[in-house]
Amino acid sequence: MAAARHSTLDFMLGATADCNAVLKALQPVFQEQGMTETVHNWEDHGYLATYIKKNGSFANLRIHPHGLVLVDLQSYNDHTKGREETDQLLNKVEERMKELFHGNLKRIKRLPAILRGGVIDRYWPTADGRLVEYDIDEVVYDEDSPFQNIKILHSKQFGNILILSGDVNLAESDLAYTRAIMGSGKEDYTGKEVLILGGGDGGILYEIVKLKPKMVTMVEIDQMVIDGCKKYMRKTCGDVLDNLKGECYQVLIEDCIPVLKRYAKEGRMFDYVINDLTAVPISTSPEEDSTWEFLRLILDLSMKVLKQDGKYFTQGNCINLTDALTLYEEQLSRLYCPVEFSKEIVCVPSYMELWVFYTIWKKQTEV
């Protein structure tokens, strides 16, 4: 099935626009393509002209009186000839506008075309809502587990990227993420007890095992994430996910909440707890968002199994989400025990945004 190719061309004039004059100047460009025209005119709000081709391609020309002229062109093919025809049409529109306004064009902006409905989805939003086009060239893995959709897509820059239910999780390029959520190389894991919550890509487990811990317990609910990553994310996880038990680690395929409750009841304690389950929610309404309730429960249970001098590591979210991050920090004051925290800002390559990581520890009581 052909994908829809959406191209845009914007003009910002240096003065108000004579909408009728702009329309008459550009009409021949579209009519030469054999396109049928429909014009709408709103008093004080400019013109909208729609041009339709027999093959289903169409263009919208929107002329605003304040001086903004927008061209949107949608075609239904992505072969070289179709792209060249689109580029030629937009080139002619741009040339005609330059002739019409000479030096009175403040800005001309043509964005790369957006391909909609293609076999490969290249567009994924950042945490703060900006659209990013990745250089994806292959769908490596795409399966639905009982918990989520799991995609592994190949990027020319970032290698294979794990995407869970539409959320970019980790790429093979993202060792910076793994190092940050482990304490950025400042911790000595030798002989330590470590608990990883989530982490199904195996990156954290693979890096910690190299540091000679006493025992690492990883609790991941979704076996299919592990299965996909051990086959297609080996630059991230190495061979550590090939077996669920090793000399100094074990992987439990379970929901981490019952496990945490069980460990707390048994009095089992850890030197480090690493929460790789979910980012801080974007919503700033904790009463209305169940993710915040889940997050608080994980925090409280983690503190119960964390040694008095232990550390809890977790990701926050994008640095631009200041309200959500502030709210998360407020939640830390509501735990069953007093805690202190520090944070670090790290550039994670495939996220294309700066990411905040937290280190949390129990506040030492004065003797």
Side-chain angles (χ1 to χ4, degrees), residues 219-242:
V219 187
E220 166 60 54
I221 197 171
D222 199 336
Q223 177 72 57
M224 288 182 66
V225 172
I226 290 176
D227 291 342
C229 289
K230 73 180 180 182
K231 187 171 182 179
Y232 299 112
M233 297 281 290
R234 293 189 78 83
K235 288 182 181 177
T236 295
C237 66
D239 60 358
V240 78
L241 296 178
D242 291 352

PDB file of all heavy atoms in Angstrom, residues 219-242:
ATOM      1  N   VAL A 219      14.322  -8.356  38.574  1.00  0.00           N
ATOM      2  CA  VAL A 219      12.908  -8.755  38.548  1.00  0.00           C
ATOM      3  C   VAL A 219      12.239  -8.087  37.352  1.00  0.00           C
ATOM      4  O   VAL A 219      12.041  -6.868  37.335  1.00  0.00           O
ATOM      5  CB  VAL A 219      12.194  -8.353  39.847  1.00  0.00           C
ATOM      6  CG1 VAL A 219      10.778  -8.933  39.870  1.00  0.00           C
ATOM      7  CG2 VAL A 219      12.973  -8.824  41.078  1.00  0.00           C
ATOM      8  N   GLU A 220      11.917  -8.874  36.351  1.00  0.00           N
ATOM      9  CA  GLU A 220      11.321  -8.372  35.105  1.00  0.00           C
ATOM     10  C   GLU A 220      10.027  -9.145  34.842  1.00  0.00           C
ATOM     11  O   GLU A 220      10.034 -10.378  34.822  1.00  0.00           O
ATOM     12  CB  GLU A 220      12.300  -8.544  33.945  1.00  0.00           C
ATOM     13  CG  GLU A 220      11.717  -8.372  32.557  1.00  0.00           C
ATOM     14  CD  GLU A 220      11.122  -6.997  32.323  1.00  0.00           C
ATOM     15  OE1 GLU A 220      11.828  -5.986  32.540  1.00  0.00           O
ATOM     16  OE2 GLU A 220       9.939  -6.940  31.907  1.00  0.00           O
ATOM     17  N   ILE A 221       8.943  -8.426  34.604  1.00  0.00           N
ATOM     18  CA  ILE A 221       7.642  -9.078  34.468  1.00  0.00           C
ATOM     19  C   ILE A 221       7.426  -9.702  33.090  1.00  0.00           C
ATOM     20  O   ILE A 221       6.650 -10.635  32.935  1.00  0.00           O
ATOM     21  CB  ILE A 221       6.510  -8.062  34.771  1.00  0.00           C
ATOM     22  CG1 ILE A 221       5.195  -8.786  35.058  1.00  0.00           C
ATOM     23  CG2 ILE A 221       6.358  -7.043  33.650  1.00  0.00           C
ATOM     24  CD1 ILE A 221       4.088  -7.878  35.577  1.00  0.00           C
ATOM     25  N   ASP A 222       8.134  -9.207  32.073  1.00  0.00           N
ATOM     26  CA  ASP A 222       7.804  -9.573  30.698  1.00  0.00           C
ATOM     27  C   ASP A 222       8.903 -10.423  30.052  1.00  0.00           C
ATOM     28  O   ASP A 222       9.933  -9.923  29.633  1.00  0.00           O
ATOM     29  CB  ASP A 222       7.577  -8.291  29.882  1.00  0.00           C
ATOM     30  CG  ASP A 222       6.791  -8.549  28.603  1.00  0.00           C
ATOM     31  OD1 ASP A 222       6.817  -9.698  28.121  1.00  0.00           O
ATOM     32  OD2 ASP A 222       6.169  -7.606  28.095  1.00  0.00           O
ATOM     33  N   GLN A 223       8.645 -11.713  29.983  1.00  0.00           N
ATOM     34  CA  GLN A 223       9.601 -12.646  29.373  1.00  0.00           C
ATOM     35  C   GLN A 223       9.869 -12.300  27.909  1.00  0.00           C
ATOM     36  O   GLN A 223      10.993 -12.476  27.412  1.00  0.00           O
ATOM     37  CB  GLN A 223       9.059 -14.075  29.468  1.00  0.00           C
ATOM     38  CG  GLN A 223       9.923 -15.139  28.799  1.00  0.00           C
ATOM     39  CD  GLN A 223      11.212 -15.427  29.557  1.00  0.00           C
ATOM     40  OE1 GLN A 223      11.169 -15.776  30.723  1.00  0.00           O
ATOM     41  NE2 GLN A 223      12.350 -15.278  28.879  1.00  0.00           N
ATOM     42  N   MET A 224       8.852 -11.773  27.220  1.00  0.00           N
ATOM     43  CA  MET A 224       9.022 -11.490  25.795  1.00  0.00           C
ATOM     44  C   MET A 224      10.004 -10.342  25.542  1.00  0.00           C
ATOM     45  O   MET A 224      10.650 -10.301  24.505  1.00  0.00           O
ATOM     46  CB  MET A 224       7.670 -11.209  25.147  1.00  0.00           C
ATOM     47  CG  MET A 224       6.802 -12.458  24.999  1.00  0.00           C
ATOM     48  SD  MET A 224       5.214 -12.141  24.181  1.00  0.00           S
ATOM     49  CE  MET A 224       5.741 -11.690  22.532  1.00  0.00           C
ATOM     50  N   VAL A 225      10.099  -9.399  26.490  1.00  0.00           N
ATOM     51  CA  VAL A 225      11.118  -8.348  26.363  1.00  0.00           C
ATOM     52  C   VAL A 225      12.503  -8.972  26.428  1.00  0.00           C
ATOM     53  O   VAL A 225      13.389  -8.672  25.614  1.00  0.00           O
ATOM     54  CB  VAL A 225      10.963  -7.280  27.470  1.00  0.00           C
ATOM     55  CG1 VAL A 225      12.142  -6.307  27.448  1.00  0.00           C
ATOM     56  CG2 VAL A 225       9.661  -6.505  27.293  1.00  0.00           C
ATOM     57  N   ILE A 226      12.695  -9.859  27.383  1.00  0.00           N
ATOM     58  CA  ILE A 226      13.975 -10.556  27.523  1.00  0.00           C
ATOM     59  C   ILE A 226      14.286 -11.370  26.268  1.00  0.00           C
ATOM     60  O   ILE A 226      15.407 -11.331  25.745  1.00  0.00           O
ATOM     61  CB  ILE A 226      13.957 -11.453  28.770  1.00  0.00           C
ATOM     62  CG1 ILE A 226      13.963 -10.589  30.039  1.00  0.00           C
ATOM     63  CG2 ILE A 226      15.130 -12.421  28.773  1.00  0.00           C
ATOM     64  CD1 ILE A 226      13.843 -11.366  31.324  1.00  0.00           C
ATOM     65  N   ASP A 227      13.281 -12.088  25.766  1.00  0.00           N
ATOM     66  CA  ASP A 227      13.490 -12.925  24.584  1.00  0.00           C
ATOM     67  C   ASP A 227      13.900 -12.087  23.373  1.00  0.00           C
ATOM     68  O   ASP A 227      14.810 -12.458  22.621  1.00  0.00           O
ATOM     69  CB  ASP A 227      12.220 -13.713  24.259  1.00  0.00           C
ATOM     70  CG  ASP A 227      11.913 -14.779  25.301  1.00  0.00           C
ATOM     71  OD1 ASP A 227      12.835 -15.130  26.071  1.00  0.00           O
ATOM     72  OD2 ASP A 227      10.755 -15.254  25.342  1.00  0.00           O
ATOM     73  N   GLY A 228      13.230 -10.954  23.183  1.00  0.00           N
ATOM     74  CA  GLY A 228      13.563 -10.084  22.055  1.00  0.00           C
ATOM     75  C   GLY A 228      14.941  -9.477  22.191  1.00  0.00           C
ATOM     76  O   GLY A 228      15.714  -9.426  21.226  1.00  0.00           O
ATOM     77  N   CYS A 229      15.262  -9.033  23.405  1.00  0.00           N
ATOM     78  CA  CYS A 229      16.537  -8.331  23.609  1.00  0.00           C
ATOM     79  C   CYS A 229      17.737  -9.271  23.558  1.00  0.00           C
ATOM     80  O   CYS A 229      18.804  -8.894  23.050  1.00  0.00           O
ATOM     81  CB  CYS A 229      16.505  -7.568  24.936  1.00  0.00           C
ATOM     82  SG  CYS A 229      15.400  -6.135  24.898  1.00  0.00           S
ATOM     83  N   LYS A 230      17.576 -10.488  24.077  1.00  0.00           N
ATOM     84  CA  LYS A 230      18.733 -11.389  24.056  1.00  0.00           C
ATOM     85  C   LYS A 230      19.070 -11.824  22.638  1.00  0.00           C
ATOM     86  O   LYS A 230      20.196 -12.245  22.358  1.00  0.00           O
ATOM     87  CB  LYS A 230      18.495 -12.604  24.955  1.00  0.00           C
ATOM     88  CG  LYS A 230      17.512 -13.636  24.444  1.00  0.00           C
ATOM     89  CD  LYS A 230      17.379 -14.773  25.454  1.00  0.00           C
ATOM     90  CE  LYS A 230      16.399 -15.836  24.987  1.00  0.00           C
ATOM     91  NZ  LYS A 230      16.250 -16.914  25.996  1.00  0.00           N
ATOM     92  N   LYS A 231      18.115 -11.673  21.718  1.00  0.00           N
ATOM     93  CA  LYS A 231      18.365 -12.020  20.324  1.00  0.00           C
ATOM     94  C   LYS A 231      18.809 -10.810  19.509  1.00  0.00           C
ATOM     95  O   LYS A 231      19.703 -10.922  18.657  1.00  0.00           O
ATOM     96  CB  LYS A 231      17.102 -12.625  19.712  1.00  0.00           C
ATOM     97  CG  LYS A 231      17.311 -13.170  18.303  1.00  0.00           C
ATOM     98  CD  LYS A 231      16.096 -13.945  17.827  1.00  0.00           C
ATOM     99  CE  LYS A 231      16.341 -14.540  16.434  1.00  0.00           C
ATOM    100  NZ  LYS A 231      15.165 -15.315  15.955  1.00  0.00           N
ATOM    101  N   TYR A 232      18.199  -9.636  19.774  1.00  0.00           N
ATOM    102  CA  TYR A 232      18.411  -8.490  18.893  1.00  0.00           C
ATOM    103  C   TYR A 232      19.091  -7.287  19.548  1.00  0.00           C
ATOM    104  O   TYR A 232      19.335  -6.292  18.875  1.00  0.00           O
ATOM    105  CB  TYR A 232      17.067  -8.042  18.307  1.00  0.00           C
ATOM    106  CG  TYR A 232      16.384  -9.106  17.484  1.00  0.00           C
ATOM    107  CD1 TYR A 232      15.202  -9.693  17.923  1.00  0.00           C
ATOM    108  CD2 TYR A 232      16.925  -9.534  16.274  1.00  0.00           C
ATOM    109  CE1 TYR A 232      14.562 -10.665  17.168  1.00  0.00           C
ATOM    110  CE2 TYR A 232      16.295 -10.514  15.516  1.00  0.00           C
ATOM    111  CZ  TYR A 232      15.113 -11.073  15.967  1.00  0.00           C
ATOM    112  OH  TYR A 232      14.492 -12.044  15.221  1.00  0.00           O
ATOM    113  N   MET A 233      19.395  -7.358  20.859  1.00  0.00           N
ATOM    114  CA  MET A 233      20.057  -6.242  21.539  1.00  0.00           C
ATOM    115  C   MET A 233      21.341  -6.718  22.217  1.00  0.00           C
ATOM    116  O   MET A 233      21.684  -6.284  23.315  1.00  0.00           O
ATOM    117  CB  MET A 233      19.116  -5.621  22.584  1.00  0.00           C
ATOM    118  CG  MET A 233      17.850  -5.013  22.042  1.00  0.00           C
ATOM    119  SD  MET A 233      18.065  -3.370  21.320  1.00  0.00           S
ATOM    120  CE  MET A 233      18.393  -2.378  22.758  1.00  0.00           C
ATOM    121  N   ARG A 234      22.075  -7.572  21.561  1.00  0.00           N
ATOM    122  CA  ARG A 234      23.230  -8.196  22.206  1.00  0.00           C
ATOM    123  C   ARG A 234      24.384  -7.221  22.437  1.00  0.00           C
ATOM    124  O   ARG A 234      25.237  -7.458  23.289  1.00  0.00           O
ATOM    125  CB  ARG A 234      23.693  -9.430  21.417  1.00  0.00           C
ATOM    126  CG  ARG A 234      22.664 -10.555  21.461  1.00  0.00           C
ATOM    127  CD  ARG A 234      23.208 -11.841  20.876  1.00  0.00           C
ATOM    128  NE  ARG A 234      24.082 -12.562  21.778  1.00  0.00           N
ATOM    129  CZ  ARG A 234      23.675 -13.393  22.735  1.00  0.00           C
ATOM    130  NH1 ARG A 234      22.376 -13.571  22.958  1.00  0.00           N
ATOM    131  NH2 ARG A 234      24.551 -14.023  23.484  1.00  0.00           N
ATOM    132  N   LYS A 235      24.423  -6.132  21.707  1.00  0.00           N
ATOM    133  CA  LYS A 235      25.441  -5.122  21.995  1.00  0.00           C
ATOM    134  C   LYS A 235      25.174  -4.468  23.345  1.00  0.00           C
ATOM    135  O   LYS A 235      26.080  -3.907  23.965  1.00  0.00           O
ATOM    136  CB  LYS A 235      25.459  -4.059  20.894  1.00  0.00           C
ATOM    137  CG  LYS A 235      26.034  -4.551  19.579  1.00  0.00           C
ATOM    138  CD  LYS A 235      26.082  -3.441  18.547  1.00  0.00           C
ATOM    139  CE  LYS A 235      26.637  -3.949  17.224  1.00  0.00           C
ATOM    140  NZ  LYS A 235      26.626  -2.880  16.183  1.00  0.00           N
ATOM    141  N   THR A 236      23.923  -4.545  23.799  1.00  0.00           N
ATOM    142  CA  THR A 236      23.538  -3.982  25.096  1.00  0.00           C
ATOM    143  C   THR A 236      23.660  -5.007  26.212  1.00  0.00           C
ATOM    144  O   THR A 236      24.207  -4.718  27.280  1.00  0.00           O
ATOM    145  CB  THR A 236      22.083  -3.455  25.042  1.00  0.00           C
ATOM    146  OG1 THR A 236      22.023  -2.369  24.121  1.00  0.00           O
ATOM    147  CG2 THR A 236      21.606  -2.990  26.401  1.00  0.00           C
ATOM    148  N   CYS A 237      23.159  -6.211  25.982  1.00  0.00           N
ATOM    149  CA  CYS A 237      23.062  -7.200  27.064  1.00  0.00           C
ATOM    150  C   CYS A 237      24.118  -8.297  27.003  1.00  0.00           C
ATOM    151  O   CYS A 237      24.218  -9.115  27.936  1.00  0.00           O
ATOM    152  CB  CYS A 237      21.673  -7.833  27.076  1.00  0.00           C
ATOM    153  SG  CYS A 237      21.295  -8.834  25.612  1.00  0.00           S
ATOM    154  N   GLY A 238      24.916  -8.349  25.924  1.00  0.00           N
ATOM    155  CA  GLY A 238      25.897  -9.435  25.818  1.00  0.00           C
ATOM    156  C   GLY A 238      25.195 -10.779  25.858  1.00  0.00           C
ATOM    157  O   GLY A 238      24.143 -10.971  25.251  1.00  0.00           O
ATOM    158  N   ASP A 239      25.747 -11.711  26.635  1.00  0.00           N
ATOM    159  CA  ASP A 239      25.144 -13.043  26.747  1.00  0.00           C
ATOM    160  C   ASP A 239      24.457 -13.253  28.083  1.00  0.00           C
ATOM    161  O   ASP A 239      24.059 -14.369  28.424  1.00  0.00           O
ATOM    162  CB  ASP A 239      26.211 -14.121  26.546  1.00  0.00           C
ATOM    163  CG  ASP A 239      27.338 -14.040  27.577  1.00  0.00           C
ATOM    164  OD1 ASP A 239      27.306 -13.115  28.434  1.00  0.00           O
ATOM    165  OD2 ASP A 239      28.257 -14.881  27.528  1.00  0.00           O
ATOM    166  N   VAL A 240      24.274 -12.154  28.855  1.00  0.00           N
ATOM    167  CA  VAL A 240      23.808 -12.300  30.236  1.00  0.00           C
ATOM    168  C   VAL A 240      22.361 -12.789  30.318  1.00  0.00           C
ATOM    169  O   VAL A 240      21.962 -13.381  31.334  1.00  0.00           O
ATOM    170  CB  VAL A 240      24.000 -10.968  30.997  1.00  0.00           C
ATOM    171  CG1 VAL A 240      22.917  -9.958  30.635  1.00  0.00           C
ATOM    172  CG2 VAL A 240      24.026 -11.193  32.502  1.00  0.00           C
ATOM    173  N   LEU A 241      21.567 -12.562  29.265  1.00  0.00           N
ATOM    174  CA  LEU A 241      20.170 -13.002  29.287  1.00  0.00           C
ATOM    175  C   LEU A 241      19.977 -14.403  28.704  1.00  0.00           C
ATOM    176  O   LEU A 241      18.855 -14.909  28.668  1.00  0.00           O
ATOM    177  CB  LEU A 241      19.286 -12.015  28.513  1.00  0.00           C
ATOM    178  CG  LEU A 241      19.186 -10.595  29.089  1.00  0.00           C
ATOM    179  CD1 LEU A 241      18.309  -9.723  28.192  1.00  0.00           C
ATOM    180  CD2 LEU A 241      18.639 -10.612  30.513  1.00  0.00           C
ATOM    181  N   ASP A 242      21.084 -15.023  28.266  1.00  0.00           N
ATOM    182  CA  ASP A 242      20.964 -16.377  27.707  1.00  0.00           C
ATOM    183  C   ASP A 242      20.518 -17.374  28.767  1.00  0.00           C
ATOM    184  O   ASP A 242      19.890 -18.387  28.454  1.00  0.00           O
ATOM    185  CB  ASP A 242      22.306 -16.818  27.111  1.00  0.00           C
ATOM    186  CG  ASP A 242      22.675 -16.027  25.864  1.00  0.00           C
ATOM    187  OD1 ASP A 242      21.823 -15.256  25.378  1.00  0.00           O
ATOM    188  OD2 ASP A 242      23.809 -16.172  25.378  1.00  0.00           O
TER     189      ASP A 242
END
